[in-house]
Structures are given as C-alpha cells and as structure tokens.
Amino acid sequence: MSKVKVDQNAADFIYMDDIHQPTHDKNLWNARMKRDTAASGIPEWEQMRDLASQIKEHTLTHLDHYVQQFVTEATKRGVTVHFAKDDIEHNQTVYDILKSHHATKIVKSKSMLQEECDMGAFLEARGIELIETDLGERIQQLSGEMPSHIVMPAIHKTTADVAELFARTIGTDPNEDDPKQLTEAMRNNARPKFLEAHAGLTGANFAIAETGAFVVCTNEGNADLTASIPPLHIASIGIEKILPKTKDLGLFIRLLSRSALGTPATRYTSHFMGPRESGTEMHIVLTDNGRSRRLGMEDFWRSLKCIRCGACMNTCPVYRRSGGLAYGATYSGPIGIIIDPTFDESKFSELPFHSSLCGSCSEVCPVRINIAEQIGLWRQRMVNINESSKTLHYAFGAVEKVFANPKLFRLAEKAAYYGMKLTPNWLLYHKKLNAWGKHRELPEIKKETFRDWYIKNRLKK
Amino acid sequence: MSSLEELLAAIRQNLPAQKVDYPEIPTYEKQGANLKDKFIVNLGLSGGESYDVGSIDEAKEIMQQKLPDTRVTCSATSEWEGSKSIHDIAHPRELEDVDLGIIRAEFGVAEMGMIWLTENSLQVNSLGFLSQHLAILLDPDLITENMHTAYRKIDFQASTYGCFVMGPSATADIGAYLVRGAQGARSLTVFFLKQQI
Ligand code: SF4
C-alpha cells in the first residue's frame, strides 16, 4: 500500500478556496462548544467518564468471557451469530447471507466497521444494489468518497457542494441550496428504497453480554427504518463493542451524544434483541479484523475503549484545519491516528506526525483514552522502525525523548511546545516540506497546554 | 469462515495481563426533582411538544388544529381509533401512507425528554418510523428520572425490540444546519393522559 501523504492532502483541502476550511473549522468548533455546555450541565460528568473508562477496561481485560456470554445470549434469542476474523471474511459472510436469501437490494445505516471492511465495494462488485440511508453517508456514497468524520461523514462539504451533487445525482434543481429542501429531496428519494429492500444492514454502538441485545444510535431514524421493514436484518459488530450489563448503557448513552454533538442523546436509541416477527431473520457478524491483535499491544490496547463519538476530532486544531479526508483512512482525527497504523504501519506512518500534541483530545474523550500520549508513542515507533520521512524525523526528534516515558505525559504535553521551538524555522516554513507554513504563520503551540488552560479558566468558575 | 473458538483463542492470546474490576455505578438520582417539568423542558430541546389533556377527544382536536391536512391516521392503542387499522397490516411497508401514527408510550425519561417504545406498544414497529407525524400518549406518573433509572425499568426478555425516541427525527448532515424530519417522523407531540381502563 502506498503511503498516505497526509500533509499534501491537508494542503489540498486548506488551499482549495477561502470557504471550505474556515467553514469546516467553525462547524466542528461549534460541536465542541456544545459538548462543553452539555457536559457542564451534569455535575457527575467527570465521574461518569471514569466509570465508563473502567467498564470498558474491565470488559476488554475479560473479553473472552464477555464475547462468549454475548454469543450464548444472542443465540438463545433466535439470532444467528457468525464470526469473521478479518475484512475478507466479514464481507464474504454478509454476501453469503444475502445470497442465500436472494437479497439483491439492500438498505444500510451507518456502520464504521462496514466502512473499515470496504464492504460496499465488495457487495456492489457482486451485483448487490446498496443504499446508504444516513444522509451524510449517502452524500459520501454519491460522491465516491470515504466519510471524513465518524459522526458527520460529509462535514467537509458545504451546502453548495451538496446542492451540486444532488442536482447531478438525484435530479434536484441545481439552484436549490436550502438544506431543508435538500434533506427533503433525499427523504423522498430514500423512502421507496426502504420499502423495496430485501435486507437491512446496520452496525452497532453497543452490544450487551448479559442479554445478547445490541444498540444502534441514530438521529435520523434510518436504522429503525432499515430494521423494521425488510425481512432480514444483518448487523456487523466489532468485538470491542461489548459491554457486560444493560445498566452500563445508562452511562454510555448519557455520554455518547453529549460528547459527539452536545445533544442529550441521539433522537433514536434502538435496542435489538432478536428477530422481529415470525418469517424474519436476524444475523450478527461478530468481527475481529485486527482488534484482538490490538488488544495485545501494550501501549495501544486502550484505543479499543473508543465509542466513536468524534469529540476528539471536533476539538483537534489539526483535524479542523486539514479535514478528515487528509488522513486517507476510515478513521480520521486523533482516534484515527492511533488506530489506523494498527491496520498498516507503513501506509499510515505519517499520521502520528499530523498532530500538535496539544492534548485536547485526551481532555474531551468520554472514555478517557490517553490519545495524545498514544500519538507520541506512535511517533516514536515510526521513528524506530524508520517508517516516517526524514523531514519529520528531524522536526520531531526533539520531542521523542520526552515521550520515552509515558508517565511523564503532563510534561510531555508541554514538550510539544519545546519540540516545535527547537525545530529550525527553515524546516517548518519550507513550503515543500511543510504545507502548513504556506500563507500563514506557524500554527502556534501555546506554552500553556489545553489542560493548564482548562484548569485555570474553567474549573474556577 | 472462522468459528467462535478461533475468535476466542485470538482474544485469549492477547488479553492484557492486568485485570480491571467492574465498578459500582450510581444512579445519580436527585432529591425532589419535578420529573414532568424536566421532561417537558428536555422534550422541547429536541423540538417535541407536549400538552396536558383530559381526554382522547381533546388530544384529537389539538392534532386536528396542528395538522389539518392529515388524512390517514393509524393507532397502535385501542384508546384512539385511527382511519387505518393496524390489525390489518400484513407487511410493515403498508404503513407507508400514514400521516399520523398514534402510540401509547411505555414510560418517559425526564433527563432526555425521551419515550420508550417496544413492539408491544408499536404493534408494527415501522409505525414509529414510517408515520409522517407522531402523537404519543404518556401517563405523567410513568416518567423516570434519568438513563440509569430508565434501564432498571426495562425487561429485555419481554420484547425483541425497544427504542428510546427523543423528539422528531433530525439531521445536520448538510452544512451543519439542523433539519427536522430527516427520515423518520417530522413532528412528535406528547399528550399527558392516564390510560382509562
Ligand atoms: S477516542 Fe474518545 S473522543 Fe475520540 S471518538 Fe473515540 S471515544 Fe470519542
């Protein structure tokens, strides 16, 4: 696989025009501010983050037990559970189920796992007509692009982009650029597809070992339409989605959407506990695809706690500037940086350098993943295995030593500042070497880290 | 294709050596909270509306005023008779023409302004999502404080499907503008009314 040139991709987005990047930045920062307001309304917020983190770590350190329990319980409820060790097995399994039901038209709601497996292309190549029903995902499907954000897949596009796309693909009036009318057009376009579909595919946000149930969160209601009309429901679930007990959901549902978009919850929190009525079937494809291997990586296994809220992306100054497509991967932003290299160290070797190490991601993560620390450790690893380009070695070599000891993270956060400062100016400003230097002053890394700032400004309120 | 045993073996080979205990989870209940008031405020945040009514007829009249163009109504509760009978539905797609779906919620959650529906209250699950608009009946005494208390109420063995619904369907996927009525209901109106037996 060829290396993702993240700096070049970022530059392409930043210098496209004067509209896309500032709008992107503004929209994501808004989400981040809404998250802060939502979190500050809940006195127990920080304690909830501790508990959610602990539940995830408990589950992951006993994952064999909980996987087994989940499978037993789901099977008791009449669900057929399949197992896939990688993307190829996942896609083949989904295809085999569809084929045995003569299902050629399918609707699907958003599933990052199915994205990760590139399932859409696999099924389409075998004659399956597949419609993304989440509006953002549909926009990305029609543009032939990957989602640029895990919660807001088309957030890098402006309303004018969508107006042009819909005019070209679903025949809306090219002058129609009102988001309400465009949403309405897609609602009307998607409806018949739900009614005709032979099967509905979903992912899952959570899977409960105690009951064999799985939970899907959406704002549009598209997962429920996907699951409530066709006679066949297939859910792709990564093994890290499992939680021990139903009551755990109380915490996770309270945290998820507040972290993601600053809303109390998603509009629909849907629980599936078995096939709908007689004559219908429910299948789960429980998928590993590198997760068990990641569990064995001492420095990185905690990334499996991720609940895919996107808060780390919304807050990240580098992500907000570069856009999600720059990362060239299913997962972008800070969470992408720490999990993408587990799929392919060479292809994603430059991702860990696409960060200012300001630490803001770790501060907002609802399950307290040490994201910034892991980014530092990945940098070090890339330098060690010689997978990062020479310029990046030079620029970030100074930070490396501080990151050698993860316990010194608070110090290390500050080291980002010194690392930048110790780097020769010519290197940072050289436009071929660093696309960020173009047209603008250096992204300033404040001596005061985000955490310092937060403690000083927020906690005293 | 892989087997469960192969999957478990891969996990066991990689399990972190240091185990983490399962924590106690509080329910974070607050003394003296007015649950109905909280419910109304939070429902409003997501664009839902609510009314105190004394009878089904009163609720019908309010809906008539709000949505004068409603033609097809379909009700999953015997308290409210719709124009289309849910008992005659042979396939979930047949609810496609429903303008107003009527459902009695099993309970509400004050913290979120959410209502809980299962296949028992929906009769046909697609009623909750194909209907253009929803009218929800809710007993005001059946409002629980937060998500922790809500999950204690649910019996997952008693149903195959359950959904917390928080206001009308929404999206902000185009230019980050909030639009209500993305794929599911365009509006959601809650009527506080005890079930008459
Ligand atoms: S790493 Fe944390 S903040 Fe980022 S998406 Fe995952 S859960 Fe959310």
Side-chain angles (χ1 to χ4, degrees), chain A residues 255-300:
Chain A
L255 286 166
L256 178 62
S257 192
R258 288 186 173 102
S259 298
L261 301 166
T263 53
T266 49
R267 301 309 176 99
Y268 302 90
T269 306
S270 312
H271 307 64
F272 298 96
M273 287 85 82
R276 216 167 55 221
E277 63 244 347
S278 64
T280 67
E281 285 182 32
M282 182 176 283
H283 294 252
I284 289 173
V285 186
L286 200 57
T287 305
D288 185 333
N289 202 31
R291 286 159 176 74
S292 61
R293 202 175 66 85
R294 206 179 301 152
L295 190 61
M297 300 173 89
E298 207 190 324
D299 290 337
F300 305 116

Side-chain angles (χ1 to χ4, degrees), chain A residues 150-151 256 259-260 302-303 305-315 332-336 338-339 360-371:
Chain A
I150 57 181
V151 175
L256 178 62
S259 298
R302 288 182 177 82
S303 62
K305 293 193 287 181
C306 176
I307 56 170
R308 309 277 187 263
C309 72
C312 57
M313 310 163 90
N314 303 346
T315 200
S332 53
I335 181 62
I338 62 173
I339 60 179
S360 175
C361 45
S362 306
E363 300 291 336
V364 297
C365 177
V367 287
R368 292 204 196 279
I369 299 173
N370 54 341
I371 312 170

Side-chain angles (χ1 to χ4, degrees), chain A residues 26-56:
Chain A
K26 185 192 80 187
N27 288 339
L28 291 167
W29 188 245
N30 272 344
R32 162 63 212 279
M33 296 313 275
K34 283 197 219 150
R35 174 251 172 227
D36 286 1
T37 308
S40 67
I42 298 182
E44 59 268 23
W45 183 261
E46 296 305 321
Q47 192 188 16
M48 282 169 42
R49 289 175 68 204
D50 289 335
L51 290 171
S53 168
Q54 197 180 335
I55 291 173
K56 279 284 188 183

